[in-house]
Amino acid sequence: MGDMILKVGLLVIFFGVMVGIGLYCRRHATDVNGFVLGGRSVGPWLTAFAYGTSYFSAVVFVGYAGQFGWKYGIAATWAGLGNAFLGSLLAWVVLGRRTRVMTQHLDSATMPEFFGKRFESRALKLCASAIIFVFLIPYTASLYNGLSRLFEMAFHVDYAVCVLVMAVLTAVYVIAGGYMATAINDFIQGIVMLVGIVAVILAVLNTQGGFLPALEKLAMVQGESTVPGVYASFFGPDPVNLLGVVLLTSLGTWGLPQMVQKFYAIKSEAAISKGTIISTAFALVVAGGCYFLGGFGRLFSDQIDIAAGGFDSVIPTMLSGLPTILIAVVVILVLSASMSTLSSLVLTSSSTLTLDFIKGTLIKKMDEKKQVLWMRGLVVVFIAISVVLAIVQYRSNVTFIAQLMGVSWGALAGAFLAPFLYGLYWKRTTKVACWVSFLFSTVVMLANIFWRSAFPALLQSPINAGAFCMLAGLVIVPVVSLFTKAPDKQRLEEVFSCYGRKVTVTVTDSIGE
């Protein structure tokens, strides 16, 4: 009884803080700029944590860490290192400053709006908005999956109840406080994730006698491989497919609207420099820790039936023997990871649909108040759809929804990464090249759902197919751009003039002459 009171007490405090922050931030969310971007005045710590917590959800902690840790052993840690250095450090260095400068210059608050104004194409904006709408919804629904087994283990509560509680509380603070509430809550949730991951890794390794004894036991595991000690080795049993995982989960963030939009809101140059370091350190601990922990999953193979429970059962089984206080921390950790990503996704979806699709298309004239009202209404709609999808999939095991979840990341990143990156850096990028990139990735990833067996063996995995789409886009966009009509020179000078504007800085920022 005491154990349950402790778990419930921690949950009530956690939820109370989340809702309180949402209500506190209402004054920041009275206009579109405030609701979607926090007035473009968000500091380095909040932005870095918002980026990190949107990146890593329960899908990573429970699903990916369990699945890839089981498949690749300790080598799965490469995915976490890729997430830190490719998905965080390099993304901030390459995209951070230019995204912030050009999006403010073009007055764009969303990724589709950026495409529409950068390439002077309303159709491109509407198409990008539709792709986001179609592929973010299943990704949103997938966030609840990691919660089901953990809540059953800790509380013996029905999955539908967990999903509804999480959805309602997330909706409350996003609707009330917009981006600023999301960013502050992400910061708190990020601290929970950092502390929780470290505590859980130490506790799980302790059950195996410590790090070195656990590594020795892992080296003795035979599994499906004939190579001795392969699950405790540097590259694991399947380095080629592991590379696909690293590429999709790391490079993918460069093209995901909910990630890139964090750069729109950052406050200053100094905030970008600090945010780069904070974000990379956060990813090293959280992603590196998740995959590292998952790498020891096979030590618990006597308790795990992969055929019956799937890979989602690996991490919960590893945690089931931990003390009550740690299980409570894990539940709050996974809730934090899920709620932070959920809030980011629904804010992205609602702002994109309102600003890029409804405004000017379905409703010709929308003042600021009406736009914010529509966004708040659509937050409810998106969360409701994701709840229904999550419960339907859980109750009836509809594999189509689960497949679509895996495909969504690849489709979004494949469609947007190259056009966005080249659009920021290269004047010669054309509208037609963007269209080809959009269509190529969405067609390939949808085909991967319906005609997977027709794909080459390496690309039958949605993860590898998504990584292929991203890399293909980086080739398609420049090639198509060179063979299509160049954009108007005068317009390009106007767009890129934001980078040529002179500013005065102190010697600490630039040595000067």
Side-chain angles (χ1 to χ4, degrees):
M1 185 70 183
D3 289 352
M4 188 57 76
I5 290 169
L6 176 67
K7 291 178 199 169
V8 172
L10 282 172
L11 272 185
V12 169
I13 293 166
F14 174 74
F15 287 141
V17 171
M18 299 298 107
V19 173
I21 287 167
L23 297 173
Y24 168 76
C25 290
R26 277 180 303 179
R27 61 198 170 91
H28 290 287
T30 52
D31 60 7
V32 171
N33 193 33
F35 190 80
V36 181
L37 300 174
R40 292 190 193 261
S41 61
V42 184
W45 284 91
L46 291 187
T47 304
F49 271 68
Y51 185 91
T53 52
S54 299
Y55 195 164
F56 309 115
S57 66
V59 177
V60 172
F61 183 71
V62 177
Y64 280 10
Q67 179 180 346
F68 302 132
W70 186 271
K71 282 185 177 177
Y72 308 120
I74 209 76
T77 311
W78 280 108
L81 295 175
N83 292 176
F85 294 110
L86 266 180
S88 297
L89 177 67
L90 210 57
W92 276 74
V93 170
V94 174
L95 299 177
R97 180 188 287 105
R98 282 190 173 242
T99 300
R100 173 66 173 80
V101 171
M102 192 180 274
T103 55
Q104 185 170 22
H105 178 64
L106 296 175
D107 192 25
S108 61
T110 66
M111 196 183 246
E113 197 172 12
F114 168 81
F115 287 129
K117 289 183 175 177
R118 166 68 179 83
F119 299 103
E120 291 188 293
S121 171
R122 195 156 167 277
L124 201 64
K125 180 176 88 166
L126 293 175
C127 179
S129 179
I131 292 170
I132 289 170
F133 175 72
V134 169
F135 288 102
L136 271 192
I137 289 279
Y139 181 42
T140 308
S142 74
L143 297 176
Y144 303 102
N145 277 9
L147 293 170
S148 58
R149 292 177 189 280
L150 281 170
F151 262 84
E152 269 174 35
M153 177 185 83
F155 294 99
H156 312 292
V157 175
D158 183 62
Y159 175 55
V161 175
C162 310
V163 169
L164 281 168
V165 169
M166 176 183 148
V168 168
L169 290 164
T170 306
V172 167
Y173 77 73
V174 176
I175 289 165
Y179 182 79
M180 190 57 87
T182 302
I184 295 172
N185 273 328
D186 285 350
F187 181 71
I188 293 166
Q189 289 160 348
I191 290 170
V192 171
M193 288 164 73
L194 287 171
V195 173
I197 289 285
V198 173
V200 166
I201 290 171
L202 293 174
V204 169
L205 290 179
N206 195 46
T207 64
Q208 300 296 319
F211 172 57
L212 289 177
L215 205 59
E216 281 173 30
K217 289 180 193 173
L218 195 62
M220 294 173 198
V221 173
Q222 192 70 32
E224 293 83 48
S225 176
T226 54
V227 181
V230 73
Y231 292 105
S233 69
F234 196 59
F235 288 120
D238 188 2
V240 175
N241 277 311
L242 178 58
L243 181 63
V245 173
V246 173
L247 281 176
L248 182 72
T249 61
S250 304
L251 207 55
T253 57
W254 294 38
L256 294 177
Q258 75 274 18
M259 303 297 296
V260 173
Q261 273 173 232
K262 299 291 184 285
F263 299 133
Y264 289 35
I266 203 160
K267 190 176 183 177
S268 63
E269 175 71 28
I272 292 172
S273 307
K274 285 181 192 165
T276 305
I277 297 162
I278 298 162
S279 176
T280 307
F282 182 87
L284 263 176
V285 175
V286 174
C290 282
Y291 289 110
F292 175 74
L293 176 66
F296 291 96
R298 284 183 182 266
L299 297 183
F300 299 81
S301 55
D302 56 324
Q303 304 164 43
I304 300 168
D305 183 0
I306 291 292
F311 292 112
D312 287 354
S313 62
V314 174
I315 297 290
T317 304
M318 293 172 76
L319 305 176
S320 58
L322 297 182
T324 304
I325 184 73
L326 270 179
I327 288 179
V329 168
V330 168
V331 169
I332 291 174
L333 183 162
V334 175
L335 262 176
S336 296
S338 298
M339 287 175 75
S340 56
T341 309
L342 178 66
S343 62
S344 177
L345 290 175
V346 295
L347 194 58
T348 301
S349 299
S350 66
S351 59
T352 293
L353 203 62
T354 303
L355 301 177
D356 305 322
F357 202 86
I358 295 169
K359 179 189 166 190
T361 306
L362 300 179
I363 301 174
K364 295 296 177 192
K365 286 185 179 176
M366 283 180 88
D367 58 24
E368 290 267 325
K369 214 169 185 181
K370 198 177 272 187
Q371 288 172 47
V372 173
L373 196 65
W374 265 94
M375 283 189 272
R376 286 185 160 132
L378 285 169
V379 165
V380 176
V381 172
F382 283 123
I383 286 183
I385 294 170
S386 68
V387 164
V388 171
L389 278 177
I391 293 172
V392 166
Q393 200 232 328
Y394 181 74
R395 293 267 188 264
S396 56
N397 290 319
V398 179
T399 52
F400 174 74
I401 298 170
Q403 285 176 328
L404 206 55
M405 293 165 191
V407 167
S408 62
W409 185 302
L412 288 162
F416 298 142
L417 190 156
F420 188 76
L421 180 64
Y422 286 114
L424 288 175
Y425 276 87
W426 191 37
K427 291 180 181 179
R428 186 67 177 76
T429 313
T430 65
K431 180 169 58 179
V432 178
C434 293
W435 277 112
V436 175
S437 180
F438 285 10
L439 291 170
F440 178 81
S441 286
T442 48
V443 168
V444 168
M445 295 311 290
L446 286 172
N448 192 266
I449 297 175
F450 299 109
W451 300 286
R452 186 163 293 167
S453 57
F455 278 66
L458 188 65
L459 297 182
Q460 285 184 10
S461 152
I463 286 168
N464 289 347
F468 166 72
C469 284
M470 286 189 298
L471 296 175
L474 292 171
V475 176
I476 287 167
V477 170
V479 169
V480 174
S481 291
L482 290 172
F483 283 96
T484 48
K485 188 187 171 190
D488 177 61
K489 225 170 191 174
Q490 194 179 337
R491 168 65 182 160
L492 281 179
E493 291 308 318
E494 187 192 317
V495 168
F496 279 81
S497 66
C498 58
Y499 297 145
R501 190 166 52 88
K502 287 202 167 127
V503 292
T504 306
V505 294
T506 61
V507 175
T508 53
D509 293 315
S510 174
I511 294 168
E513 291 298 313

